[in-house]
Amino acid sequence: MSQAKETRRRKSVEAQTAPNRATATIEAIIEAAERLWGAHGIEGASLREISIAAGSANKSSIGYHFGDKQGLIRAIFEARIPALEDRRRPLLAAAEAEGKLDDPITLLRIAFLPVFEEVDRHGRHSFAAFLRAINRFAQWDGRTGIQQLAPLASAAFNILRQKVSHMPQDLVEARLRLANEICYGAITDQDDNPPATGPDPVLATKMFEDALAASAHLMLLG
């Protein structure tokens, strides 16, 4: 094979593999950010630390692919939410068919059960931990966009808001934030068990159901 042909062949192979490398880098950064921010809070892990954890030799890779911290946060939501919404669709349809859309626990289950079922490749609820961190991160400016990305979860919460519309709005929103904290805390409760024992699925499910009941009671308090 001539040198010119070999050069063309090599460039063709590089052109075909470059998108795959970029996709792998993006996925690795998203996974690392979700894990580190979930464990340490949004302010507890820098973009540089995330880049290192993702195995990226290029320190500017996050800026190149996501722009900034807010862009990376949005990318995590965009990567995870569609699958959660797919799981919420039959839950919402079943609740409507059974006439349970006025039941606070049912509405909260529609919102949180898919998050409870979502685990990473290590069997941990890293996305729930990330959501808990976001719930505490006042500087996050993309909440409206996320509501648009997750219309079914938003619908469940809006129905719940309507049930308590007689209460002051700031009280309702404060209780919803606390309900998020309770449910995400319950979802991640078993993740820190020693590796030898691992999560107890029976206890994890009981904790989750208790969190739904406690949150529903909280929302309906006078």
Side-chain angles (χ1 to χ4, degrees), residues 64-86:
Y64 177 78
H65 290 294
F66 306 100
D68 56 14
K69 177 184 286 188
Q70 298 281 345
L72 180 52
I73 291 173
R74 284 192 295 273
I76 295 172
F77 279 110
E78 290 168 356
R80 302 291 183 244
I81 285 181
L84 302 186
E85 285 288 278
D86 285 344

Side-chain angles (χ1 to χ4, degrees), residues 2-14:
S2 70
Q3 184 175 354
K5 287 184 178 179
E6 173 60 20
T7 300
R8 287 196 297 271
R9 185 196 67 79
R10 187 173 63 252
K11 288 183 177 180
S12 175
V13 170
E14 290 174 352

Side-chain angles (χ1 to χ4, degrees), residues 34-53:
E34 181 181 89
R35 175 169 48 84
L36 291 179
W37 280 340
H40 305 295
I42 306 301
E43 299 286 11
S46 69
L47 296 183
R48 181 176 181 276
E49 289 170 324
I50 291 168
S51 183
I52 292 171

Side-chain angles (χ1 to χ4, degrees), residues 14-30 56 61 64-66:
E14 290 174 352
Q16 292 173 14
T17 57
N20 293 334
R21 288 199 301 270
T23 299
T25 298
I26 289 170
E27 291 175 351
I29 291 171
I30 286 175
S56 176
S61 59
Y64 177 78
H65 290 294
F66 306 100

